[in-house]
Amino acid sequence: MPRTSRLRRRPTLVAALVALPLLALAVPATAATGTKVVPPPPMGKFSNPTRIDNPYFPLVPGTEFFYKGTITEAGTVTPHTVTFTVTDLTKVINGVNTRVILDIDNTGGEVVEAELALFAQDDNGTVWNMGEYPEEFDNGKFTGAPSTWINGLAGAQGGIHMLAHPRVGNTYTEGLVPRIDFFDVTTVFATGQRICVPVNCYSNVLVTHETSPLDPTSGTQVKYYAPGVGLIKVGAIGGDSQERLVLASLRHLSASALQAVDQQVRMMDRRGHRVSNVYARTATVQ
């Protein structure tokens, strides 16, 4: 989901996962400058983790979210779209079954990233980031997936994507992956807002502010979530790269269209096992 295209951006034991002790993690060198690295809390119990019905982040298989907007860098504004599709596929991560999302990032008319994002919902209704396999492209050519991370592998720790009961002032860590300096922190900024986007106008919208403390030049990403829908808008405050998106279309795919998405996901899953030492240690999608 936005932030490096993390609609995503964006995570385990059969019954429960106790968070890895912070001392067991190799904290990034950049954290030594004074940034306080707060690990995610322990994960809860996962009885039916792929049924994700959190009001602010529901993931119904076959749903396609299409976001349209721009990225502004060094004064240059470039057209930007993100297609976020909830597949009917799952993948077991550290003992927990997760829902597989296909997230396609198109900038300037070219696909620059295609990602498999993995989510699970605990019994309390909190949605967790469980891992990401983001393929990178340059002029249409696959160049690798160096930012891949999986909860519980290579020191990576999944975090909270959406709280079960968000309240203004709540702050949480979306994930902690020292190997790639991934440490995103979200704060609930406002609730009860009314926001209009091309798809519709929504009430009781939740607003969050997302930052990357290890990268202060990235500014703040502002996200708007409508109940019963999910992410409807992305904004930016400051930062050297500003991503702005609105939900331009929302549809439920036909059986044949979803099958085509599944085929693409399976192809990426196979490639991931070949090109990523981390991803190679995961089970295949089902």
Side-chain angles (χ1 to χ4, degrees):
M1 298 226 144
R3 180 169 293 283
T4 66
S5 209
R6 206 174 268 110
L7 271 172
R8 331 174 202 65
R9 272 99 215 96
R10 206 110 195 61
T12 326
L13 303 168
V14 176
L17 172 69
V18 176
L20 298 174
L22 183 58
L23 293 178
L25 299 172
V27 177
T30 46
T33 61
T35 300
K36 184 178 181 181
V37 178
V38 180
M43 292 185 183
K45 183 178 180 181
F46 295 91
S47 298
N48 192 7
T50 60
R51 180 181 176 181
I52 301 176
D53 56 4
N54 181 298
Y56 287 106
F57 196 65
L59 297 180
V60 178
T63 306
E64 180 191 87
F65 301 80
F66 178 71
Y67 301 89
K68 187 174 182 179
T70 62
I71 287 183
T72 302
E73 294 180 303
T76 299
V77 181
T78 305
H80 178 53
T81 65
V82 173
T83 305
F84 183 88
T85 307
V86 185
T87 77
D88 57 356
L89 299 175
T90 62
K91 187 179 186 71
V92 175
I93 299 297
N94 205 7
V96 170
N97 211 15
T98 68
R99 176 65 59 194
V100 182
I101 307 298
L102 176 61
D103 190 349
I104 305 295
D105 185 331
N106 187 303
T107 301
E110 293 185 353
V111 173
V112 296
E113 186 177 280
E115 176 181 327
L116 302 184
L118 308 170
F119 298 97
Q121 181 173 296
D122 68 22
D123 291 0
N124 292 325
T126 294
V127 180
W128 294 81
N129 295 316
M130 300 295 277
E132 297 174 339
Y133 168 67
E135 295 188 339
E136 299 177 6
F137 297 84
D138 186 13
N139 293 320
K141 182 180 179 181
F142 171 72
T143 60
S147 296
T148 298
W149 68 270
I150 297 294
N151 179 57
L153 296 180
Q157 207 173 338
I160 295 172
H161 192 85
M162 180 57 67
L163 294 169
H165 305 289
R167 299 287 185 269
V168 173
N170 290 160
T171 296
Y172 49 92
T173 299
E174 291 197 25
L176 181 59
V177 189
R179 181 178 58 83
I180 59 174
D181 278 4
F182 169 45
F183 173 52
D184 282 2
V185 176
T186 294
T187 298
V188 178
F189 180 74
T191 58
Q193 304 300 299
R194 180 171 171 79
I195 301 294
C196 292
V197 295
V199 168
N200 206 344
C201 288
Y202 299 96
S203 299
N204 297 318
V205 171
L206 171 73
V207 185
T208 67
H209 283 185
E210 182 179 312
T211 60
S212 293
L214 299 180
D215 182 15
T217 64
S218 63
T220 299
Q221 191 169 62
V222 185
K223 294 181 178 178
Y224 302 79
Y225 296 89
V229 179
L231 185 67
I232 60 169
K233 183 178 179 180
V234 177
I237 301 173
D240 52 6
S241 178
Q242 297 184 329
E243 181 179 37
R244 293 182 171 86
L245 296 166
V246 293
L247 183 61
S249 72
L250 176 62
R251 64 174 182 146
H252 196 81
L253 300 179
S254 65
S256 59
L258 183 56
Q259 184 178 33
V261 170
D262 287 351
Q263 290 176 346
Q264 183 176 356
V265 168
R266 293 182 188 280
M267 178 192 70
M268 291 175 62
D269 186 65
R270 289 193 295 270
R271 182 157 57 192
H273 280 87
R274 295 195 304 270
V275 304
S276 170
N277 291 333
V278 172
Y279 198 81
R281 295 165 64 185
T282 67
T284 58
V285 296
Q286 299 295 321

